[in-house]
Amino acid sequence: MAVPFRKELEKYKNINEDEILSKLSEDELKQLESVLDDLDPENALLPAGFRQKDQTNKSATGPFDRERLLSYLEKEALEHKDREDVVPFTGEKKGKVFIPKEKPIETRREEKVTLDPELEEALASASDTELYDLAAVLGVHNLVNNPKFDEGTTSKDGKEIVKNVVKGEKVKPVFEEPPNPTNVEATLQRIKANDPTLLEVNLNNIKNIPIPTLKEFAKALETNTYVKKFCLAATRSNDPVAIAFADTLKVNKTLKSLNIESNFITGTGILALVDALKVNDTLTEIKIDNQRQQLGTAVEMEIAQMVEENSQILKFGYQFTKQGPRTRVAAAITKNNDLVRKKRVEGERH
């Protein structure tokens, strides 16, 4: 059945629609528009402005004026008469008036506490001082910490003054640590000048020192022959600073103590220091604990091997996370201190 119908549609395949539309009159075009609207009133393929048939016969009033339109609508709304109510409003109240229920007031009854006759007799014969001490034991802090009980209390007859034995502990204020007074630039110049009076440098907790300045300190220590202790804990030092001080330890023969705790040094910087300590024979104390990230087992094993090979390290500030490296370092530090003690004893004998 579908084949004959398709054959009938073949003759409409090559029709020129523009030619047919051009031959239609104005009345026929309007009739065609109405027919199309009836056939497909909501054609989604057409723009919104072309879906609705133009039913206006008035001439255009000009361009769009929003303010004029709003004023016109407001005027029409005011002039329009309101619809009358079906039932006129009189203000009369109908029905029962709502009265909220009153909630009953809860009354608490004081419970009478009955004690053993022996306890009542003991409390009745107790002195004021004993009662204060008992209150402190029971945790009655508002009584114990009350200042008026610290000063003393008069007895009932007004003669005897009872001193309170138990007193509230006063809170001790915790003051912030004062800032480090070290002048960074002046100290750097003194190190570069090899000042013989400068034996110890403390840069701890100075967090605004630039990394290039810290590297300059390490470079200046390479030729300094007087500074014996250098501290830069909590200065935001990183791996480049640690590597710079590792180069210093390979050359410097005066420095005895180095503190780089509480910084941002990773395993790379620590390994550089460990390699430098393998050839350094003057440093006796180094502190590298409390870095931002853990060093790892491999770095701790390298530290243990270095301390075992270096007999000059007497103090090593680091909290090991593994039992093996911790035990090896502890034994090596003990052995190094014993060697120093033996040398001192032999020197005293001679």
Side-chain angles (χ1 to χ4, degrees), residues 27 121 191 350:
D27 296 335
E121 183 180 356
I191 295 176
H350 295 291

Side-chain angles (χ1 to χ4, degrees), residues 26 30 57 63 67 71 133 169 177 185 189 212 238 275 301 320:
E26 187 176 352
K30 290 182 179 180
N57 296 324
E67 298 297 332
S71 61
D133 296 342
E169 183 179 356
E177 187 177 352
E185 293 297 332
Q189 297 302 324
N238 52 11
D275 292 338
M301 295 297 289
F320 288 89

